[in-house]
Amino acid sequence: METQYFIGIDISKESLNWAVCSANKIILEQVSGNDIKSITKTVISLQRQLNCKLGTAVFCMEHTGIYHTRLLKYLLSRKAAIWLESGSQIKYSMGDVRGKNDIVDAQRIARYAYKNRDEIKLYTPPRAIIEQLDNLLDIRDRLVKVRQICLTALNEQKSCEANKTLTKDTKKYSAHTLKGVETDLQTLEKQIKELINSDPQLKSLFENITAPAARLCSWGWYCHCG
């Protein structure tokens, strides 16, 4: 079925801005909550106003971490055409756009989809194990940042020769956090490794990626191995 409508969606934590582009013109705009009930109501409303079937539209949105989860879940359940694109790619393609708000961003995404309609890249949901691995890696990144914040505070006080009492207090109240973070990181990394090893495809990919680095490391090219 030929695509007639290119629906750009700007996503935030609490709300969604929708803009419909057809023949390079924005013909319809709506705002909804970012919850399944509101999303369902909006999609049905768009179909009614456009008098179209879902198969004649493509829904384009930027990667937004977890905020697009509900929208993706609903659209996948309806077997809708989904285009998930990076924000940097859309910005580069469209150039400078006057104004900066959710409505303008939704229009920009819709026009991007129309402009690049011959190069559409439909979204295919990843395997469940990939989603789980992505989530674990995101958690690991956050824990590493927490550890770095605590260590930075300690190092700054030491380097500035701060009051010993202040340094002692910082060390005292950071120690418990650092210990907990280190414990969580060890447990998390063990789970990540077990998850990778449980899947032949992931295990093979991981080994292919890490083996050359491991060999170089053992030869002392990248680090001093003693």
Side-chain angles (χ1 to χ4, degrees):
M1 194 175 294
E2 184 180 355
T3 303
Q4 294 178 286
Y5 303 104
F6 299 83
I7 303 175
I9 309 167
D10 183 73
I11 302 168
S12 64
K13 183 178 179 180
E14 302 293 339
S15 63
L16 304 173
N17 280 265
W18 310 66
V20 181
C21 182
S22 180
N24 204 27
K25 293 182 180 179
I26 300 298
I27 61 172
L28 186 61
E29 294 177 84
Q30 285 195 210
V31 179
S32 76
N34 191 357
D35 59 87
I36 291 295
K37 184 177 180 180
S38 297
I39 292 168
T40 302
K41 184 178 179 180
T42 301
V43 172
I44 292 173
S45 174
L46 289 175
Q47 284 185 264
R48 185 174 62 250
Q49 293 180 73
L50 296 171
N51 191 27
C52 72
K53 294 183 178 180
L54 210 57
T56 62
V58 60
F59 296 81
C60 186
M61 65 198 79
E62 297 178 359
H63 288 281
T64 56
I66 62 174
Y67 296 148
H68 61 233
T69 301
R70 296 187 190 94
L71 179 59
L72 278 181
K73 182 178 179 181
Y74 174 78
L75 292 176
L76 286 170
S77 73
R78 295 288 309 276
K79 295 181 171 55
I82 304 168
W83 189 348
L84 197 60
E85 186 61 271
S86 70
S88 58
Q89 175 61 30
I90 294 175
K91 183 177 180 180
Y92 174 79
S93 174
M94 300 302 290
D96 292 332
V97 177
R98 292 185 179 181
K100 178 64 181 174
N101 57 54
D102 296 340
I103 295 174
V104 171
D105 286 342
Q107 295 175 359
R108 177 172 54 88
I109 296 169
R111 286 197 171 98
Y112 169 85
Y114 177 80
K115 176 184 175 183
N116 298 277
R117 59 193 180 281
D118 293 333
E119 301 174 14
I120 187 170
K121 294 173 286 186
L122 292 182
Y123 171 77
T124 301
R127 294 187 296 144
I129 193 170
I130 300 298
E131 289 188 309
Q132 185 180 358
L133 182 60
D134 281 344
N135 186 54
L136 292 177
L137 291 172
D138 284 342
I139 296 171
R140 183 186 182 281
D141 285 344
R142 288 195 290 272
L143 289 175
V144 169
K145 289 177 182 177
V146 171
R147 180 178 63 183
Q148 190 57 47
I149 290 170
C150 292
L151 290 174
T152 298
L154 286 171
N155 292 333
E156 285 178 347
Q157 286 196 346
K158 289 178 182 178
S159 64
C160 294
E161 298 182 357
N163 182 296
K164 290 185 178 180
T165 301
L166 297 179
T167 302
K168 183 179 179 181
D169 287 342
T170 301
K171 187 175 181 180
K172 176 182 176 182
Y173 292 109
S174 296
H176 182 72
T177 299
L178 284 169
K179 184 177 180 180
V181 169
E182 290 291 352
T183 299
D184 286 343
L185 278 171
Q186 290 176 14
T187 303
L188 188 58
E189 287 170 358
K190 180 181 178 182
Q191 185 177 351
I192 289 171
K193 186 175 181 179
E194 290 175 348
L195 190 64
I196 291 172
N197 288 334
S198 71
D199 184 85
Q201 186 178 347
L202 278 178
K203 183 178 180 182
S204 176
L205 180 62
F206 182 76
E207 289 174 348
N208 288 337
I209 293 172
T210 58
R215 286 196 294 271
L216 289 174
C217 179
S218 67
W219 294 337
W221 288 13
Y222 284 160
C223 67
H224 299 289
C225 300

